[in-house]
Amino acid sequence: YAVAVSVCHICKCIFNGAGTALTVSTMMHGEYGIEDVCLSLLNIVGKNGAHSKVMLPLNDEEIAELHHSAECLKNIIKEIKI
């Protein structure tokens, strides 16, 4: 049920086009030094979908944890050969 509610909320944000800040998964292209993996970070979601990442100020420990998460996901993707 909670997943359906979340999907409906994202769809409403896309349809109303207002540009709402939501945590959604998008491909990383160098943000925080991370490439080629999707992570759930704060993005602006509007009529064109998720179009802008909101770059929050993170301390060194938080960036290291984000890098760890990215590496874990990359390793899983390699193992299942996606």
Side-chain angles (χ1 to χ4, degrees), residues 4-67:
V5 170
S6 296
V7 170
C8 286
H9 182 63
I10 292 169
C11 290
K12 285 179 186 177
C13 292
I14 291 169
F15 291 134
N16 77 25
T20 304
L22 298 173
T23 303
V24 294
S25 290
T26 56
M27 182 63 75
M28 301 295 287
H29 298 287
E31 298 87 358
Y32 303 108
I34 300 170
E35 296 273 353
D36 299 330
V37 68
C38 293
L39 293 177
S40 294
L41 298 173
L42 195 59
N43 285 266
I44 303 300
V45 177
K47 65 180 179 177
N48 296 318
H51 56 81
S52 302
K53 289 184 181 71
V54 178
M55 300 299 291
L56 299 174
L58 301 178
N59 64 39
D60 291 341
E61 182 181 345
E62 292 167 328
I63 292 172
E65 290 173 358
L66 196 59
H67 277 257

